Each structure stands twice: as C-alpha cells, then as structure tokens.
C-alpha cells in the first residue's frame, strides 16, 4: 500500500537511529545509485550561520526575474514540508515528493541487510536533487542544513558558493569558536571556483580554509561593496561594475549584506555562463529586490499592536533584531519567545537586553525533544537579565494569547526564537 507524504516523513525519522549524522559517504552512495545527474546547468550553494534563507530567496527572485528556470532547496519548513523544494516559484507537490522518495528508497536498498540508513534530512536533500535534475533547471540554489563540509548538500560541487555569516551556533557539532565553525563552513567551496564571503569581518579560520582549498575568494568590503544612501543603495565591484538599486523588500539592516552577497554570486556567474548576460541579469536584480518574499524574517503580520514574526534563534540574529527594534517607534515590545536546548539562550536574551519590555516565555518541550520548558527559559532569563519582566506558558499559543491581552495599541508583539515559534504563530494567525 502506497504511503502518503505524512507517512513517508514519519517513516524517515526512524530509518537512521540518529536524527543527525554528518558525513557524505551514505548520501553520496545513494545519489550514485540514482545516476548522480546534475541538478541543474549551474548550482549555487549557500552556507552560513544566519542569512542563508534570505539569500536563497533573493537569488531565486533575481534569477526568476531574469527569466531563468530556478529550483531552491531550503530547510527547515514553517507550515508544510513541501516548502523545502521549490521549482519555478512553486512548492513541490505531494505526488512528486512521494515518487522521489520511492526512487530513493529503492536506491538505498530498503529491506536488505546492507540498506543505507539515511537520515530525514538526507532523504529530503536527495529528493530535492532528484526533482531538480528532472526539471531541466538553469540554476539550482542549495541551502546548507548544518555546517558545510559534512552536510548532505555538499555532495554537489557548486559552481558558486556563498558563506553569508559565521557566528556561534550548533557548537556541539561545528566547534567552540568562530574559527572552528568557519573552517567547517568553508567546506562547501571548491578549488578554482568562486566563493562569496558575505560579512565584513569573517573569522581567520574561514579565510584560511578557503585559501587552502584553492577557492577564488570574493570578499565583502574588498572585492565588492555596498553603500546605502537616501532613496536606495549602490552595489559595486572592484572590476568597475556598479548598480544603483532600490532597498530590499525584506526588513532588517542585515538584508543589505545578504543582497550584496547574492549579487556578487550572480556577478561571478556571468563569467561562467555565456547564456546569462549582464544586461538581462542586472535589470532583473532591481525587480528581484523589490519582489522577494520569505516568511518569518522580520515579517509583519499587521495589526495594532503590530505582530512581527522572526526565526532568529542565536545571538547574532538577536543582535540584528535589537538593531531593528532600536529604529522602530514602538512604545513597548512584548516578546513571545521559545528556544531549543542546544541554543545560546543567555546570549540571545543578553543581545536584546532592554529592547524587550516583557517576555512571554513559551515551552517547546511538547513539540520537540530538543525544546526547553518555559520554566527553564525563565531561570536563564532571571540570571541573564535579573530585572526582566516575564511570565511563563506551556506552549506558544498560550504565550501568544497572553501577549495579545497585555499589548496595547502602538506597541509590538515580537514572536521569535525558533522555527517552532514562528510556525505556530503564523498558523494561529491564519486560523
């Protein structure tokens, strides 16, 4: 009897006894058995601590505006698994995903003693690559799930790689400092091929590893620059190329850096692909900047008090939130906050500091084994910011209800801390 998509996803959670198992041998072997077709004529891989999803969305919008057939693979999803695989701007349908999972299941040798034990994420990565290869794409954009060097996405040799930012996250897997994490993220680069470094102050570990592998490094602030001014901003390259551009449709100051890195990637793509012209691409950049959409990145869901949803979950993302809040006119900010146990909760709380007027803490232990309880969050909050005002709730929905009751017109409700928080808020708002 054929499985539904939900049944396939539940099944995949138990094929490998480990939910995360870094390494390329297993997933590369199954991809080889599937024929290892190229997922597209050109591939861009996007890694980094923060900014990956936004950069993928910017690339997708710009390339689509240029008339390219584009596929994008991202994770995790917010509401529906299908969001992870997009082709020509549309989420993959259930039937296509199921057919791909069936092909992967056969290729991994399911039912045999020597079957390859793929993880949930590896199934999804292979399905995206399989569907992209069948779609006749011009460009595939692949977001790295965790780290870079040993992430399943890295079985594909990208024509252009992007490392957006490097900061402290997933330290149990990637290392204790920015240098260690940077070296892991450098693993998506390839010898002789361009890699875009999107932040102005990258760690030495990243730059050293990129140089050692022989990649062609393009650095923000050195090889390409972005300068904001009244009415827009300018992107320019050391080769003399320059563009006057409208502001990105995505909120937060960090989106200018993400946009600059995306443009740098497309700029070097011109030298690799004669079918892409500078005139067509540069004209499409402005269109892409003004039409790009991605949920839960400082997404306003309207109302008064205004509801803002963001997936920021580490100190670097929290600093971006704090910078954005500082520029807003809200009288008070009510935070609906939930977090996973492997996150630097104290660092997130400390980065936001006095920007939050009241914390409505939401337990996540009921939705994921990795989730922290509201009581655990409250203990960390009291230690990090002793004077903080807070209340604790069993789940996101009840924390959100409390925030709506407490917040007054002219104030803001900021729901953030995890994809689990953002998805629950968006689902509640839609309902």
């Amino acid at each position: 009897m054929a499985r539904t998509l939900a049944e396939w996803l539940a099944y995949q959670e138990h094929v490998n006894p480990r939910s995360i198992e870094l390494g390329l041998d297993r997933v590369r072997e199954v991809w080889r058995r599937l024929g290892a077709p190229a997922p597209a004529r050109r591939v861009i891989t996007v890694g980094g601590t923060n900014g990956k999803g936004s950069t993928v969305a910017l690339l997708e919008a710009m390339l689509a505006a240029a008339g390219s057939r584009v596929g994008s693979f991202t994770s995790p999803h917010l509401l529906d698994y299908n969001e992870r695989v997009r082709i020509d701007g549309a989420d993959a349908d259930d039937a296509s995903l199921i057919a791909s999972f069936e092909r992967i299941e056969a290729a991994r040798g399911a039912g045999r003693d020597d079957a390859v034990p793929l993880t949930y994420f590896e199934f999804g990565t292979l399905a995206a690559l399989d569907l992209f290869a069948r779609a006749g794409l011009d460009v595939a954009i692949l977001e790295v799930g965790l780290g870079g060097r040993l992430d399943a996405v890295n079985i594909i040799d990208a024509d252009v790689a992007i490392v957006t930012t490097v900061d402290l996250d997933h330290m149990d897997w990637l290392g204790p400092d920015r240098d260690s994490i940077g070296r892991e993220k450098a693993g998506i680069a390839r010898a002789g091929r361009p890699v875009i470094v999107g932040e102005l102050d990258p760690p030495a570990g990243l730059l050293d590893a990129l140089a050692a592998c022989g990649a062609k490094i393009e650095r923000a602030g050195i090889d390409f620059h972005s300068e904001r001014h009244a009415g827009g901003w300018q992107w320019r390259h050391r080769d003399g190329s320059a563009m006057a551009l409208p502001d990105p449709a995505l909120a937060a100051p960090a989106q200018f850096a993400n946009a600059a890195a995306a443009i740098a990637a497309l700029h070097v793509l011109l030298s690799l692909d004669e079918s892409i012209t500078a005139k067509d691409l540069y004209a499409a950049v402005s269109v892409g900047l003004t039409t790009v959409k991605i949920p839960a990145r400082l997404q306003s869901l309207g109302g008064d008090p205004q509801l803002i949803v963001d997936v920021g979950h580490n100190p670097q993302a929290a600093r971006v939130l704090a910078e954005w809040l500082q520029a807003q006119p809200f009288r008070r900010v009510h935070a609906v906050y939930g977090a996973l146990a492997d996150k630097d909760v104290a660092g997130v709380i400390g980065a936001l500091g006095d920007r939050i007027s009241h914390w409505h803490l939401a337990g996540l232990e009921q939705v994921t084994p990795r989730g922290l309880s509201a009581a655990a969050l409250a203990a960390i909050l009291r230690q990090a910011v002793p004077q903080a005002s807070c209340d604790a709730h069993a789940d996101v929905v009840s924390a959100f209800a409390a925030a709506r009751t407490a917040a007054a017109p002219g104030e803001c409700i900021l729901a953030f801390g995890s994809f689990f928080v953002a998805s629950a808020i968006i689902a509640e708002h839609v309902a």
Side-chain angles (χ1 to χ4, degrees):
M1 183 175 176
R3 294 186 179 104
T4 65
L5 179 58
E7 289 169 340
W8 266 109
L9 298 177
Y11 166 76
Q12 291 167 18
E13 291 179 346
H14 304 289
V15 170
N16 190 314
R18 300 177 182 174
S19 60
I20 299 174
E21 185 176 3
L22 297 179
L24 303 182
D25 291 345
R26 289 168 298 101
V27 69
R28 181 181 281 128
E29 172 59 20
V30 177
W31 186 233
R32 183 192 66 78
R33 295 178 190 179
L34 286 165
R41 192 159 46 81
R42 296 293 178 189
V43 176
I44 303 173
T45 297
V46 183
T49 302
N50 292 305
K52 299 188 297 293
S54 297
T55 302
V56 170
L58 286 158
L59 286 166
E60 185 180 9
M62 293 172 186
L63 286 163
S68 296
R69 275 181 58 79
V70 185
S72 65
F73 172 58
T74 59
S75 67
H77 60 276
L78 278 168
L79 300 180
D80 298 307
Y81 183 90
N82 312 61
E83 300 165 19
R84 295 181 178 221
V85 182
R86 289 170 55 84
I87 296 175
D88 275 346
D91 297 347
D93 57 57
D94 286 11
S96 297
L97 287 166
I98 290 168
S100 186
F101 289 149
E102 289 172 347
R103 290 189 287 271
I104 294 164
E105 183 77 340
R108 77 175 191 87
R112 301 202 314 251
D113 291 341
D114 62 347
V116 180
L118 298 174
T119 66
Y120 178 96
F121 181 77
E122 289 166 346
F123 264 102
T125 303
L126 288 170
L129 298 177
D130 174 55
L131 293 176
F132 290 167
R134 295 168 182 273
L137 299 178
D138 297 309
V139 182
I141 310 166
L142 309 178
E143 179 187 348
V144 174
L146 174 62
R149 181 175 63 93
L150 298 176
D151 185 85
V153 164
N154 206 31
I155 63 171
I156 301 299
D157 295 328
D159 296 285
V160 184
I162 302 175
V163 179
T164 54
T165 61
V166 178
D167 209 80
L168 303 180
D169 202 5
H170 300 295
M171 295 161 69
D172 288 347
W173 293 96
L174 304 179
D177 50 43
R178 290 182 74 223
D179 281 331
S180 302
I181 295 170
R183 282 189 284 271
E184 288 295 321
K185 294 187 183 300
I188 64 174
R190 296 295 187 269
R193 298 188 182 185
V195 56
I196 311 302
V197 177
E199 65 180 319
L200 295 174
D201 185 26
L206 171 67
L207 298 177
D208 291 346
L210 292 175
C213 83
K216 296 180 179 179
I217 304 171
E218 296 260 328
R219 283 184 60 181
I222 295 178
D223 300 291
F224 62 95
H225 304 262
S226 59
E227 298 171 355
R228 299 175 63 178
H229 53 76
W233 63 296
Q234 184 184 61
W235 182 93
R236 57 187 174 84
H237 194 270
R238 57 178 164 74
D239 67 5
S241 303
M243 289 180 275
L245 299 166
D247 288 352
L250 304 177
Q255 297 298 353
F256 287 91
N258 294 333
I263 296 168
L266 300 183
H267 180 74
V268 298
L269 198 63
L270 295 176
S271 64
L272 303 176
D273 199 321
E274 294 181 355
S275 68
I276 301 175
T277 68
K279 180 180 178 182
D280 291 341
L281 187 59
Y282 290 164
V285 165
S286 291
V287 175
L289 284 170
T290 56
T291 60
V292 61
K293 295 179 181 179
I294 183 170
R297 273 67 172 183
L298 274 176
Q299 180 184 5
S300 174
L301 297 180
D304 187 13
Q306 188 174 167
L307 173 59
I308 304 293
V309 181
D310 193 83
V311 294
H313 56 264
N314 54 45
Q316 184 183 54
R319 291 193 293 271
V320 171
L321 284 173
E323 182 182 2
W324 182 81
L325 286 171
Q326 186 175 15
Q328 305 308 308
F330 306 124
R331 294 200 309 267
R332 286 167 55 84
V333 177
H334 297 257
V336 176
Y337 177 58
L340 303 183
D342 59 353
K343 301 305 176 185
D344 182 1
V345 173
V348 168
I349 291 170
L352 281 157
D354 59 4
R355 301 282 175 237
I356 305 300
S357 306
H358 187 88
W359 297 80
H360 303 271
L361 303 175
L364 296 182
E365 74 274 24
Q366 296 179 29
V367 294
T368 172
R370 298 164 60 205
L372 281 175
S373 69
L377 287 175
I380 299 170
L381 176 64
R382 284 192 293 269
Q383 188 169 25
V385 186
Q387 72 277 16
S389 174
C390 74
D391 50 64
H393 301 273
D395 53 40
V396 175
V397 172
S398 56
F400 180 41
R404 286 192 293 184
T405 299
E411 298 179 350
C412 168
I413 299 173
L414 172 65
F416 78 105
S418 167
F419 273 80
F420 291 106
V421 173
S423 62
I425 296 292
I426 291 172
E428 182 77 3
H429 187 266
V430 170

